[in-house]
Amino acid sequence: MSDISTMKNVTFPIPSFTEWEQAVEKSLKGKPFEKLYSTTYENIIIKPIYTRRDIESLAHVEQYPGFPGYVRGTRPNGYIQEPWKVSQEISATSPQEWNEIVKHDLAKGQTEIHIVLDRLGFPVISLDDMEIMFSDISLDQYSLRVDAGAQSLSFFALFAAYLQKRQMPFAAVHGTIGMDPIGTLAETGHLSFSLASLYDVMADAVQWAKNNMPHVKTIIVRGEPYHNGGANAIQELAFAFSTAVEYINACLDRGLMIDDIASRIQFSFAIGSNFFMEIAKLRAARLVWSNIVQAFGGSERAQKIAMHARTSYFTKTIYDPYVNMLRATAEAFAATVGGADSLHVSPFDEAIGPADEFSRRIARNTQLILLEEAHIANVIDPAGGSYYVEMLTAKVAEESWRLFQQIEGKGGIVKALQDGVVQAEVENVAKQRRDNVKKRKEKIVGTNFYANLAETPIQKANESGEKPLSLLRIDEENVVQLQEGFREKRWIATAVFMAARRATAREIEAALKGDGTSLNVEPIPQWRLAEPFEQLRKAAEAHLEKYGARPTVHLINIGNIPNYKARADFITGFFEAGGVAVSKSEGYHTAEEAVSGALEANGTHYIICGSDESYTDMVPAIAKALKQTNSNVKLYVAGKQAPDVEQSFAQAGVDGFLHIGSNCYETIVSFMKEMGVALDE
């Protein structure tokens, strides 16, 4: 014990990279060191270890939070004095229900009122709707975020008219009431208004807000349409930045200054499942945006990006939906570590239907736990200094800047969408994702891995509070008065004036559509990663409901349990991913027993499971006897065999081999078609 003081001062020697590499190569037992490398969907090669040497050339690493470049954050003290806004999107079936939900959720910890008009659940048509929605809500105490879609004019007018009626100062409102026409165009493929008229409204909203609502942003740039189409992080950033530059140029052409424009823009990014990539994406976004605004001559203040984040819709599942809580938690953690200014955590039942009180509470509390119990806000840029994250940040920034320049070189984001360039870029990555999911190289727990066929599905009421818009009367006199004001280039002021005199959103939109010009492109399909297998599950369930049984494959297990269990378990998981039932057998020790058991099962598709050694004699014997008795049955072997073995088995009657390299989705589709299962085309 007398040596304790000496022991305290002893340190372990720091191994060199060469020593570590030698130890790894030894443990790999002859396999190449490069086997430990992986490549992301962004085509970034990830090494198994990073050291100081990897970041020595990165200029941004020595920056401090709150200083130009802003990789480490736009505020010197991070979240310490002002945490991110808990900005849960809220929908309902009516203005009254929405009002009740908002008041309840604000009392339970939400800090920003969040509306996405396209997903609100009902149309905001009149000043009466606005009065019901915001009744007894203190708008001067909470931030407001409104994603108005392609145009914000009608909502802006009704909201401003409501504030006037309440005699509430415009300057007391904080947050965002933003429009993103290009995001809508990419997502839906259609704009009902001309881009010129939308840019007129956008520029006027920037100027009007500067003079009347100085704390409100009026432009939103969404990365979600690209993310939900399957795009990688670099594509999401590049297309978003190209969109923002399009908006900047449009507003500059209409006489505005760069500082006024940049300070009115809020970006919105989806946060996917690649934890460190998403952290790097948000950090890189700050650096790239700073460079873009600087190139336009913007001030340091204008170079600070405003970022909203939402956990990914793309990664969520219909089956085993409670696992979505874990997915959303990891994504929310990445968003806060990355430094988002506000955050929406998607409810676990988002892919199934509108959120209820329970799913809203879990999503909201996910944020509150990160804030109050995990103390994320107590550390400024917690990822800063990580060799891996800093390298990844630099690489994402560099590659997104390169792609951004390519899009600009092709004429900008609108031209690239019209020419199909953006859609092709996204589809290239989406195809990789689909293929990897179908082959189960990319695992989705509860869907293509560890599916639970016995789970009780969540039931959602199919309710809609939407008014039939076609039945709402339009006052043509109001439309004419609005058009007169628009011709004088007074979009916001005219719309607010008329909304206060009971003009409706329909009438404002009709006046804005005056020239009848619209824009169409090929939309970027919005999908979820789990959809291919969810479609198979639904087809299997429909078959069950119609015929009283699921489509079923039968196992022919050979030998004792240790002999066949691993492959039997693999095959079970393989087919259950598509909703196909797996009928198991005891281990057979002779070919005669196996054939007798198979015939007794009276199935159509059989898979032999056992060890390679047991296959040698048993498989040919089983195949020949089974096919002689019933030539219509399909017989497969679990596990990949040597080419000559596969050939001999095939000659005996084996129809195929199922193993880890098999395309799970395509195999199940083939089996289902042979079984007569109706697949939804």
Side-chain angles (χ1 to χ4, degrees):
M1 298 300 292
S2 60
D3 293 328
I4 288 294
S5 59
T6 303
M7 291 172 61
K8 286 181 178 180
N9 295 320
V10 174
T11 59
F12 291 100
I14 299 175
S16 67
F17 180 82
T18 302
E19 290 174 321
W20 174 84
E21 190 174 23
Q22 290 172 349
V24 169
E25 289 176 344
K26 183 179 179 180
S27 66
L28 288 173
K29 298 179 180 178
K31 294 179 182 178
F33 178 75
E34 288 72 22
K35 189 174 179 64
L36 298 179
Y37 286 62
S38 61
T39 303
T40 70
Y41 286 113
E42 292 75 14
N43 282 324
I44 295 175
I45 296 175
I46 303 301
K47 299 191 299 184
I49 190 172
Y50 289 86
T51 67
R52 181 174 294 277
R53 289 188 302 176
D54 292 294
I55 65 169
E56 286 175 349
S57 62
L58 303 181
H60 77 261
V61 173
E62 300 303 324
Q63 293 176 356
Y64 290 96
F67 285 79
Y70 305 113
V71 176
R72 305 198 63 192
T74 57
R75 293 174 292 188
N77 55 10
Y79 293 135
I80 290 176
Q81 289 184 319
E82 184 183 353
W84 70 88
K85 294 179 178 64
V86 179
S87 183
Q88 293 298 126
E89 176 189 329
I90 296 176
S91 59
T93 58
S94 68
Q96 180 62 48
E97 183 187 35
W98 187 88
N99 173 265
E100 293 171 357
I101 292 173
V102 169
K103 288 188 290 189
H104 174 272
D105 288 9
L106 289 174
K108 298 298 184 181
Q110 184 154 334
T111 59
E112 182 170 74
I113 302 168
H114 186 173
I115 303 170
V116 177
L117 290 183
D118 289 341
R119 297 193 292 268
L120 183 57
F122 60 90
V124 182
I125 298 297
S126 65
L127 187 56
D128 292 337
D129 292 335
M130 199 68 68
E131 289 175 335
I132 295 171
M133 288 175 67
F134 292 103
S135 176
D136 298 324
I137 295 176
S138 301
L139 290 171
D140 56 343
Q141 295 182 18
Y142 296 100
S143 177
L144 176 68
R145 183 178 194 276
V146 180
D147 180 347
Q151 61 86 21
S152 59
L153 182 60
S154 51
F155 186 92
F156 223 129
L158 294 173
F159 182 69
Y162 167 74
L163 295 178
Q164 286 179 334
K165 186 173 182 180
R166 288 282 308 274
Q167 297 184 337
M168 180 178 174
F170 290 157
V173 180
H174 290 69
T176 301
I177 303 175
M179 57 188 288
D180 180 19
I182 294 175
T184 299
L185 180 65
E187 192 171 63
T188 66
H190 177 72
L191 283 178
S192 300
F193 314 90
S194 70
L195 269 178
S197 64
L198 292 173
Y199 290 161
D200 287 339
V201 171
M202 181 180 289
D204 194 49
V206 169
Q207 187 63 51
W208 190 90
K210 177 186 176 183
N211 297 333
N212 297 277
M213 287 186 181
H215 307 298
V216 172
K217 300 184 184 301
T218 57
I219 302 171
I220 291 177
V221 178
R222 294 184 301 135
E224 291 95 336
Y226 311 105
H227 173 91
N228 291 335
N232 62 37
I234 288 169
Q235 291 172 328
E236 184 183 0
L237 289 185
F239 301 148
F241 291 137
S242 192
T243 299
V245 167
E246 175 82 7
Y247 294 159
I248 288 175
N249 284 325
C251 291
L252 288 174
D253 291 343
R254 287 159 176 77
L256 300 180
M257 304 297 290
I258 181 60
D259 277 21
D260 296 333
I261 304 165
S263 63
R264 300 289 162 194
I265 297 177
Q266 183 192 64
F267 286 83
S268 178
F269 294 119
I271 306 299
S273 59
N274 189 333
F275 182 75
F276 289 106
M277 182 64 71
E278 297 303 323
I279 293 172
K281 181 175 76 178
L282 298 188
R283 299 174 88 245
R286 288 194 288 270
L287 177 60
V288 176
W289 181 241
S290 175
N291 288 339
I292 289 173
V293 176
Q294 186 179 28
F296 276 101
S299 65
E300 289 185 1
R301 181 179 180 85
Q303 293 170 28
K304 296 182 177 182
I305 195 172
M307 285 193 300
H308 173 74
R310 84 172 322 271
T311 59
S312 175
Y313 170 79
F314 185 72
T315 63
K316 303 307 178 291
T317 64
I318 289 176
Y319 292 99
D320 214 348
Y322 297 105
V323 179
N324 290 331
M325 296 181 190
L326 306 179
R327 296 187 179 102
T329 299
E331 292 162 359
F333 185 25
T336 54
V337 172
D341 299 302
S342 58
L343 175 63
H344 165 83
V345 173
S346 51
F348 70 87
D349 53 0
E350 178 182 39
I352 301 172
D356 56 23
E357 184 177 350
F358 174 68
S359 60
R360 290 199 322 272
R361 174 177 172 241
I362 295 299
R364 183 177 62 249
N365 283 353
T366 297
Q367 297 204 49
L368 297 178
I369 288 172
L370 288 172
L371 178 63
E372 305 291 350
E373 297 187 26
H375 307 293
I376 297 299
N378 291 359
V379 180
I380 304 170
D381 187 25
S386 160
Y387 302 143
Y388 176 39
V389 174
E390 297 293 7
M391 182 284 306
L392 202 54
T393 298
K395 197 67 176 176
V396 170
E398 177 185 340
E399 294 302 319
S400 60
W401 178 261
R402 180 177 289 116
L403 181 56
F404 160 73
Q405 289 181 313
Q406 291 174 4
I407 296 299
E408 292 302 293
K410 295 180 184 297
I413 187 69
V414 175
K415 184 68 164 56
L417 283 167
Q418 290 174 319
D419 293 344
V421 173
V422 171
Q423 295 89 329
E425 286 273 352
V426 173
E427 178 56 26
N428 285 339
V429 180
K431 185 179 184 303
Q432 293 177 42
R433 293 188 190 276
R434 279 193 294 268
D435 289 346
N436 285 340
V437 166
K438 289 178 179 181
K439 294 175 182 176
R440 303 207 302 172
K441 290 181 179 179
E442 183 159 343
K443 299 175 176 62
I444 307 175
V445 174
T447 300
N448 69 352
F449 259 81
Y450 308 117
N452 177 16
L453 300 190
E455 72 171 284
T456 302
I458 293 177
Q459 301 295 331
K460 288 282 184 180
N462 186 18
E463 298 178 357
S464 175
E466 291 193 9
K467 301 174 184 177
L469 296 181
S470 60
L471 300 181
L472 295 174
R473 187 178 66 86
I474 293 179
D475 189 324
E476 294 297 337
E477 185 176 337
N478 283 346
V479 174
V480 171
Q481 292 184 53
L482 283 159
Q483 288 175 333
E484 289 175 355
F486 293 170
R487 280 193 289 270
E488 296 174 6
K489 301 187 182 300
R490 298 174 63 250
W491 289 270
I492 301 295
T494 300
V496 172
F497 177 83
M498 292 300 296
R501 284 151 184 77
R502 297 292 169 173
T504 67
R506 289 290 314 285
E507 291 158 0
I508 294 170
E509 291 167 11
L512 188 60
K513 289 180 183 177
D515 62 3
T517 304
S518 61
L519 182 61
N520 295 284
V521 302
E522 187 69 27
I524 296 173
Q526 307 290 287
W527 60 292
R528 290 177 297 101
L529 206 52
E531 284 180 2
F533 283 93
E534 289 173 351
Q535 291 166 357
L536 296 182
R537 291 277 294 271
K538 289 177 182 177
E541 287 161 5
H543 190 85
L544 169 63
E545 186 175 347
K546 185 174 182 178
Y547 297 103
R550 289 181 176 274
T552 304
V553 298
H554 296 265
L555 302 189
I556 300 176
N557 294 326
I558 297 175
N560 297 323
I561 292 176
N563 198 56
Y564 64 77
K565 187 177 186 306
R567 281 175 168 164
D569 288 347
F570 169 79
I571 293 298
T572 299
F574 187 94
F575 281 98
E576 287 184 345
V580 177
V582 179
S583 177
K584 302 176 183 179
S585 72
E586 300 295 332
Y588 299 114
H589 294 277
T590 66
E592 291 75 14
E593 289 178 356
V595 172
S596 175
L599 293 174
E600 186 178 343
N602 194 30
T604 60
H605 290 70
Y606 297 88
I607 297 99
I608 300 174
C609 298
S611 65
D612 290 348
E613 293 76 14
S614 65
Y615 284 167
T616 305
D617 297 321
M618 291 275 281
V619 168
I622 293 172
K624 289 177 182 177
L626 192 59
K627 287 298 181 83
Q628 285 174 358
T629 306
N630 186 350
S631 60
N632 293 323
V633 300
K634 298 291 184 178
L635 181 64
Y636 291 79
V637 171
K640 188 170 182 60
Q641 306 298 305
D644 58 327
V645 175
E646 289 189 355
Q647 184 177 1
S648 66
F649 286 180
Q651 290 172 350
V654 171
D655 295 288
F657 302 84
L658 302 177
H659 47 79
I660 196 169
S662 300
N663 187 314
C664 180
Y665 174 84
E666 298 295 347
T667 300
I668 295 174
V669 167
S670 176
F671 273 48
M672 282 186 166
K673 287 180 177 179
E674 292 169 352
M675 294 175 180
V677 177
L679 295 171
D680 184 2
E681 297 298 328

